[in-house]
Amino acid sequence: MANASSVLKSKSHDEDVNIGLEKSYLAEAAQNLSDILAATYRLTIKSHVYHWNVVGPLFKPLHELTEEHYNALFGAADIIAERIRALGHLAPATLGEAADFAPKANDVGKLTAVDMVNDLVTDHEKAVKVMRETAEKADEAGDVVTADMLTDRLTFHEKALWMLRAIIAE
């Protein structure tokens, strides 16, 4: 019987997993999911900053929508990071320059609600493109779990895009 200390010892590096997926695919998927995780955090932070600072006639609908979005995005970050771990890789310990995720303080005061929405739309569209490519690669590799997770994420982002565009439609 293994002693408790060896059983409970955590690994501090990538793990070798044998889940029926190629090792090279696992590394590529983990990197792509790390990029998606960074995009998710970028949208979480921007949505939260805009939630706090939106003004004007679109205040209430945008304030409420961005709150829904940042809460959903924050929860999604955990799901994405856990998938990276399930693929045998460490979830990113840093997400690049997090300060770059948020709009600059001087810029926020100059943005209209429409500017904020357009900025969020741009970031959602970028995220959707990476997610779609990663989901297609997951399908090709037989990684139905990652593909399914990304389908859920795509559903959220495409609905977010629809709602954001609807708020500023004339």
Side-chain angles (χ1 to χ4, degrees):
M1 183 161 129
N3 68 36
S5 64
S6 67
V7 172
L8 298 176
K9 185 177 180 185
S10 63
K11 289 184 134 187
S12 61
H13 52 79
D14 296 348
E15 299 173 18
D16 288 325
V17 297
N18 184 8
I19 57 174
L21 299 170
E22 297 294 324
K23 189 171 184 164
S24 61
Y25 165 76
L26 295 172
E28 179 184 4
Q31 180 56 57
N32 290 340
L33 289 173
S34 294
D35 293 343
I36 291 167
L37 182 60
T40 300
Y41 268 109
R42 180 176 296 106
L43 277 161
T44 303
I45 292 169
K46 279 188 177 184
S47 296
H48 215 154
V49 169
Y50 292 159
H51 167 80
W52 292 325
N53 292 296
V54 65
V55 296
L58 295 176
F59 169 79
K60 186 165 176 49
L62 192 52
H63 183 77
E64 291 172 353
L65 185 60
T66 53
E67 183 173 10
E68 286 177 33
H69 287 180
Y70 70 70
N71 284 324
L73 289 160
F74 188 77
D78 191 53
I79 293 167
I80 296 164
E82 288 177 357
R83 185 63 191 151
I84 294 167
R85 292 296 296 137
L87 294 175
H89 291 265
L90 291 176
T94 63
L95 294 170
E97 302 299 323
D100 290 342
F101 288 0
K104 303 299 177 228
N106 292 340
D107 294 340
V108 172
K110 298 174 189 168
L111 296 176
T112 66
V114 172
D115 294 333
M116 292 175 180
V117 168
N118 284 327
D119 187 37
L120 291 170
V121 163
T122 297
D123 282 358
H124 278 283
E125 287 176 338
K126 287 178 187 175
V128 162
K129 289 174 185 172
V130 174
M131 286 178 199
R132 192 173 312 286
E133 291 171 11
T134 303
E136 288 172 3
K137 289 177 184 176
D139 273 338
E140 291 169 8
D143 183 1
V144 295
V145 176
T146 298
D148 186 54
M149 178 199 67
L150 290 171
T151 299
D152 287 344
R153 299 306 322 132
L154 283 162
T155 301
F156 166 80
H157 287 278
E158 289 181 358
K159 184 175 180 181
L161 283 162
W162 160 55
M163 292 182 165
L164 288 164
R165 288 184 179 114
I167 283 179
I168 60 171
E170 294 184 26

